[in-house]
Amino acid sequence: MPRSLKVGQEYITKVKAAVQRQGYPRQKDLAEHLRMSRDTVRKFLNGYAVDYLNFIEICDRLGQDWKAIAATDRISNDIEARFEPYADEPEVEGFIDVERQPIETLCYQTLSQPGALLRIKAPGLMGKTFLMTRVVNKLRQEGHRTVCLNLGYAEQEDLSNLNSFLRWFCISVGELLGLPNCLDKYWNEKLSTSKMNCFGYFQRYLLPQAESPLVICIDEVEQLFNHQVVGKEFLVLLRAWHETARTIPIWKRLRLVIVHSTENYIQLNINESPFNVGVPIELPEFTPQEVQALAQRYGLDWEMAQVNQLMTLVGGHPFLVRQACESLQRDSHMTLEALLQTAPTEAGIYANYLRRYWEILQRHQESLQALKTVVTATDKVRLEPKQSYWLSKLGLVKLVGNEVMMSCNLYRQYFSDRISS
């Protein structure tokens, strides 16, 4: 047995598709369930070497025969995968979706402007990653330098120290641009602050590497919200960079995208926050027309009556709609009616996905009790801000002003049954 194994290139699409099929919306959900690092799961799913015991465990969780999908060549376990834009999201490669117009055009036009700042907010699994991948790819084809950096890759020790975090950020951006790490040449902790060092690294090294614009998309910014000091200082720095583009020409090359799934819970001076400048985008659910277009891409010849049947249960939630379409495409004997009847049950296509939420809620009894209030209500209800924030972050409720309501009937039916039993 070799020390490490990797997925054969011909099986990569298959194992990526198995992630969602087994009830894990994103690769990070699979990593959390296995109690492995996200980097280990990312490497596995992108065909890089991982420890053979981890390889076997991941295969088992995904319902794959590890002997069948393992690459036949023997390789060392010291091969390190380079960062790839959005490599942690199964939505990017071989992914069926529809254009989100006019939002895509607005994002593209915004990032084509010097010194632009774009803010994208939506709950998890609403397609933020897919949207930005499409926009960033278009900009890359036009000659822009692009970096998509997920803050979920930052270690907790980095998030707890501003100097460590900014060093990690600079190194990561450079790595994604394919540039050598020259941090020691430009970083002087004795003579300057960490924010000025970071500013200097961009102004003197990263930005001058080419005259083309540099688009940096920072995903999962909410990772900073539990780290008040680092989060505040970094967000203030992003605001300052955006404003610097007005006075220093080289900073016009920088275009920033801030992507997050929840509201900003870091208290910032209104003149320091990046959340009240730039162009805001709130990604909505699919419209009926978009659901119909997506179904057609899956080979489903639906009339609006069938679209409405599905949306009555799951609304326009992109992940839930997509899972239904994929299941019907995969199983030609399954009808939409049968799918909808079993959907909120342990026999339905969402069973693993819903069960994971139930497991999470059982570990957070306060949130479970708050959800019970929402499930049993006949109208919108007001919760403690902390519970509204947490349940909306999970995507189980929608915020309506200061009140909340269930995101869709699928959640209401499933959790109503669990709570009452």
Side-chain angles (χ1 to χ4, degrees), residues 31-54:
E32 289 171 1
H33 188 94
L34 291 168
R35 297 188 178 181
M36 293 182 186
S37 73
R38 291 171 64 176
D39 196 49
T40 295
V41 172
R42 180 182 67 84
K43 288 178 179 178
F44 171 90
L45 291 165
N46 286 282
Y48 294 101
V50 299
D51 179 83
Y52 80 91
L53 290 177
N54 287 338

Side-chain angles (χ1 to χ4, degrees), residues 288-359:
Q289 291 73 25
E290 287 170 337
V291 172
Q292 187 177 42
L294 183 66
Q296 289 173 350
R297 293 202 61 190
Y298 276 97
L300 305 173
D301 187 20
W302 281 4
E303 301 293 337
M304 270 300 168
Q306 292 157 303
V307 170
N308 292 333
Q309 276 184 278
L310 178 60
M311 294 188 73
T312 297
L313 184 68
V314 303
H317 192 293
F319 173 76
L320 299 176
V321 170
R322 193 175 298 113
Q323 285 295 95
C325 292
E326 182 180 322
S327 296
L328 292 168
Q329 179 197 52
R330 192 169 59 246
D331 185 354
S332 59
H333 299 293
M334 180 185 292
T335 64
L336 176 61
E337 289 72 19
L339 184 150
L340 295 176
Q341 185 174 0
T342 60
T345 73
E346 293 297 333
I349 65 169
Y350 303 116
N352 291 335
Y353 168 77
L354 294 168
R355 196 181 305 119
R356 287 191 63 257
Y357 276 127
W358 181 242
E359 291 171 356

